[in-house]
Structure formats: C-alpha cells, structure tokens
C-alpha cells in the first residue's frame, strides 16, 4: 500500500517538532519534509505532487484566504489540513471556503494528526467536534440571508 506523502509547514518550531514526531510514528504516512516557510513547502509540493499539505500559522485574513485558494487552485490533487486553534472558530468558514479539507488544533490534539491526514486522504473532511455546532449555526444564518426566488427554481 502506498504511503500518504505529506509536507508540514508552520512558523512555530515547537508545533512543527510535535507534528513531525507524531508523523514519524505513523506507518502509513511518508513525511517528505517540514518547513517554517510556505515557499519551501510549496516548492516541494510542486516537485513531488504531495498528497497532503499540513499548514499552520496562517491567519484567515483576506491574504491568508487568498493564499489557501491559490494553493488549492495550483495543486488540485493536494489536500490541505489547516492547523488552527479551536478558539479561532471565526476563521473556520473562510478557511473551508478556500478549499481546505480539514482543521486540527495541533496543540490540543497532536495525537490525532495521523488520523486526520488519513481521513482527508480518503476524501473526507476533518473538523473538531467542538466546532460543528457553531459551524452549522453560521451556515444556517448565511442560508437565511440569501434571497430565494422560488419562481426561478423550475
């Protein structure tokens, strides 16, 4: 069975080290490299057609969302797992709209990194259970804001 090729990038060296150590223990994952800058990670991802790109340290400002969209456009077969603290719930919808496949709070749940990568690789989303309720409420609120013209649905 082919191992899941993975690249790590985070500006926080301690998170990077923890993630790196977790992935070394995961038999189904091949860690291609770890970076503290997105440029190096993207070069390797382009060269080796990485399955999973694990990205931490990005703020979901308009620039951060644009960067994630650009990555998903340039690397449509590479799935992105975003390392994002659960207390930054307000950043989840913009991240999902940018095309990422999962979110993990690596500080709280470092032991689930390999499982999140495997799940995303299989085409499923990975979201912390603690944010599902608030995420559904935000989706519902946004759905109610959309104007619906029932005559045009035919």
């Amino acid at each position: 069975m082919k191992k899941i090729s993975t690249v790590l990038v985070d500006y926080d060296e301690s998170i990077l080290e923890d993630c790196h150590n977790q992935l070394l223990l995961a038999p189904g994952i091949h860690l291609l490299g770890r970076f503290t800058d997105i440029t190096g990670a993207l070069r390797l991802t382009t060269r080796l057609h990485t399955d999973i790109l694990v990205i931490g340290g990005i703020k979901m400002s308009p620039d951060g969302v644009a960067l994630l969209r650009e990555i998903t456009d340039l690397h449509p077969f590479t799935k992105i797992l975003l390392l994002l603290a659960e207390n930054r719930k307000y950043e989840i919808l913009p991240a999902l709209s940018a095309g990422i496949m999962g979110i993990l709070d690596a500080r709280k749940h470092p032991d689930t990194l390999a499982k999140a990568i495997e799940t995303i690789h299989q085409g499923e989303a990975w979201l912390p259970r603690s944010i599902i309720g608030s995420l559904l409420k935000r989706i519902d609120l946004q759905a109610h804001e959309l104007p619906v013209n029932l005559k045009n649905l035919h």
Side-chain angles (χ1 to χ4, degrees), residues 74-147:
L74 292 173
H75 304 281
F77 300 107
T78 299
K79 296 176 175 87
I80 297 175
L81 174 62
L82 185 65
L83 302 179
L84 184 69
E86 287 181 26
N87 65 353
R88 293 170 50 195
K89 292 178 186 178
Y90 59 92
E91 296 186 34
I92 291 170
L93 231 57
L96 291 172
S97 72
I100 67 156
M101 288 296 295
I103 295 171
L104 176 69
D105 187 338
R107 288 195 190 275
K108 286 178 93 174
H109 309 287
D111 54 326
T112 58
L113 178 60
K115 180 66 176 160
I117 289 171
E118 291 164 356
T119 300
I120 289 170
H121 186 256
Q122 294 170 358
E124 298 177 38
W126 183 274
L127 298 171
R129 295 181 64 93
S130 64
I131 64 149
I132 299 288
S134 62
L135 183 60
L136 290 173
K137 285 178 189 173
R138 293 205 47 197
I139 291 170
D140 185 52
L141 286 173
Q142 287 184 347
H144 283 76
E145 292 173 0
L146 297 174

